[in-house]
Amino acid sequence: ISKDYFIYSVGGTTMTTMDNIENVKEQYKDDSNLSIRSKLHAKYSTNKQGFFPWLFEKYKFSNGYYVLELGCGNGGQWQNRIEELPADCILVLSDFSEGMVKIVWEKYSNQKNMIVQSIPFPDNYFDVVIANHMLYHVPDLPKALSEVKRVLKGGGKFYAATNGNGGIRPFLRNAFKQVNPKINTFTQDFSFNLQNGKEMLSQYFVNVQRCDFEDSFSITETQDLIDWLKSTITISSYSEDDLNGLYDYFECIRLKEGAINIPKETGLFISTKI
């Protein structure tokens, strides 16, 4: 076959945990929470190109490349795109969650895929490593970036998408405060974000380039936003009780403005190993 796909679970590495590992396990035991958030973006994003198509404009793959994605989730970005990889590419999809690995296997196993558990990463093995919206889950980021550098070949590319400190977070922080001034949430910056990512990556890679994806939400069904908030409870600093009153708050905005308009701040860093 011209392309191989190794789908496996990464266990016990520094690149697969957040500060509270039990919360992360609960959050990502399957793709139900992730799907809720993905659907909100698909339904209400004002940039109709979509984030995944934009990412694939940035990725550079060539024949025979070895490609690793860390934290692949439900494998959504590869849907209908695996067959577009150049000939003889090997794609390795990894995730901390066994539930996610199972979902990805069910999606792609009909393409003569192989599943491997706990595969070791030799030095200078991959041409491309991808880590989208997952580095801020890592408690020991320097060690994680060192590992990414180790497994990349010389001249290899590291693609890391992340969020910024702005966008939806200040909007939601203000919303919670308006409903209940005692609630203090969405205040902590991502450990790896658009503002500090270039500086952090430059300690390990060269030619670090930041690419911003211009987008926002225009939400016309208030319950969808509430469902999004509920989907993040296990990894957030608020409870379901803290959501009381938010529906009415957002609904007033929707009725007044015709939609709940929320900025986004997200993008991609492209780095090269010397």
Side-chain angles (χ1 to χ4, degrees), residues 21 58 129 134 148 152 162 188 264:
I21 191 171
K58 305 298 181 184
V129 176
M134 62 80 65
V148 171
L152 266 177
T162 192
Q188 186 175 4
K264 294 185 188 181

Side-chain angles (χ1 to χ4, degrees), residues 183-197:
I183 297 177
N184 196 31
T185 190
F186 290 106
T187 57
Q188 186 175 4
D189 292 339
F190 291 109
S191 60
F192 179 83
N193 55 61
L194 287 178
Q195 284 72 33
N196 68 10

Side-chain angles (χ1 to χ4, degrees), residues 38-105:
S38 297
K39 287 176 182 177
L40 192 79
H41 286 276
K43 190 174 182 180
Y44 297 117
S45 292
T46 57
N47 187 332
K48 298 307 179 184
Q49 179 186 17
F51 189 62
F52 288 157
W54 179 80
L55 284 177
F56 275 81
E57 288 184 350
K58 305 298 181 184
Y59 295 155
K60 302 299 181 184
F61 304 125
S62 293
N63 290 359
Y65 265 21
Y66 279 55
V67 180
L68 167 67
E69 183 180 7
L70 299 168
C72 68
N74 60 11
Q77 77 164 327
W78 300 101
Q79 191 75 38
N80 301 320
R81 294 185 179 91
I82 283 183
E83 290 302 329
E84 296 178 7
L85 286 171
D88 301 319
C89 279
I90 292 179
L91 173 63
V92 180
L93 302 181
S94 69
D95 200 276
F96 176 72
S97 166
E98 292 282 355
M100 291 295 193
V101 171
K102 181 180 179 181
I103 289 167
V104 171
W105 174 248

Side-chain angles (χ1 to χ4, degrees), residues 10-262:
V10 179
T13 78
T14 60
M15 294 182 282
T16 58
T17 62
M18 285 180 65
D19 291 341
N20 190 324
I21 191 171
E22 294 305 319
N23 287 355
V24 177
K25 285 181 178 179
E26 178 63 25
Q27 172 70 197
Y28 295 112
K29 63 184 179 182
D30 55 38
D31 70 342
S32 56
N33 290 320
L34 181 61
S35 293
I36 289 172
R37 296 196 289 278
S38 297
K39 287 176 182 177
L40 192 79
H41 286 276
K43 190 174 182 180
Y44 297 117
S45 292
T46 57
N47 187 332
K48 298 307 179 184
Q49 179 186 17
F51 189 62
F52 288 157
W54 179 80
L55 284 177
F56 275 81
E57 288 184 350
K58 305 298 181 184
Y59 295 155
K60 302 299 181 184
F61 304 125
S62 293
N63 290 359
Y65 265 21
Y66 279 55
V67 180
L68 167 67
E69 183 180 7
L70 299 168
C72 68
N74 60 11
Q77 77 164 327
W78 300 101
Q79 191 75 38
N80 301 320
R81 294 185 179 91
I82 283 183
E83 290 302 329
E84 296 178 7
L85 286 171
D88 301 319
C89 279
I90 292 179
L91 173 63
V92 180
L93 302 181
S94 69
D95 200 276
F96 176 72
S97 166
E98 292 282 355
M100 291 295 193
V101 171
K102 181 180 179 181
I103 289 167
V104 171
W105 174 248
E106 290 174 349
K107 279 186 178 182
Y108 301 126
S109 61
N110 63 347
Q111 301 178 42
K112 298 182 180 179
N113 299 348
M114 183 183 298
I115 184 166
V116 180
Q117 293 288 332
S118 300
I119 184 172
F121 298 152
D123 294 354
N124 307 308
Y125 189 73
F126 292 100
D127 299 278
V128 169
V129 176
I130 298 170
N132 290 337
H133 293 100
M134 62 80 65
L135 287 177
Y136 45 67
H137 296 325
V138 178
D140 190 346
L141 193 52
K143 188 171 183 179
L145 295 177
S146 294
E147 281 295 287
V148 171
K149 181 179 180 180
R150 180 182 67 78
V151 301
L152 266 177
K153 297 177 182 178
K157 297 292 185 181
F158 178 41
Y159 298 94
T162 192
N163 297 318
N165 295 330
I168 192 171
R169 294 176 66 79
F171 178 91
L172 292 175
R173 179 168 64 243
N174 178 68
F176 273 93
K177 285 290 187 183
Q178 293 297 318
V179 173
N180 185 348
K182 295 181 179 180
I183 297 177
N184 196 31
T185 190
F186 290 106
T187 57
Q188 186 175 4
D189 292 339
F190 291 109
S191 60
F192 179 83
N193 55 61
L194 287 178
Q195 284 72 33
N196 68 10
K198 185 171 184 178
E199 181 180 357
M200 297 180 76
L201 290 167
S202 295
Q203 299 177 48
Y204 303 89
F205 306 97
V206 298
N207 300 325
V208 180
Q209 177 187 4
R210 169 178 162 175
C211 306
D212 287 13
F213 180 67
E214 301 296 332
D215 198 8
S216 63
F217 283 119
S218 183
I219 300 171
T220 55
E221 294 181 37
T222 300
Q223 188 58 48
D224 288 341
L225 179 54
I226 298 299
D227 291 341
W228 182 95
L229 287 166
K230 289 181 179 179
S231 78
T232 69
I233 283 176
T234 58
I235 54 172
S236 298
S237 58
Y238 56 86
S239 67
E240 189 160 355
D241 288 341
D242 293 329
L243 302 182
N244 293 336
L246 276 177
Y247 181 93
D248 291 339
Y249 173 81
F250 290 133
E251 182 67 2
C252 285
I253 295 175
R254 188 192 67 81
L255 291 172
K256 180 180 179 180
E257 302 181 9
I260 306 164
N261 297 304
I262 308 175

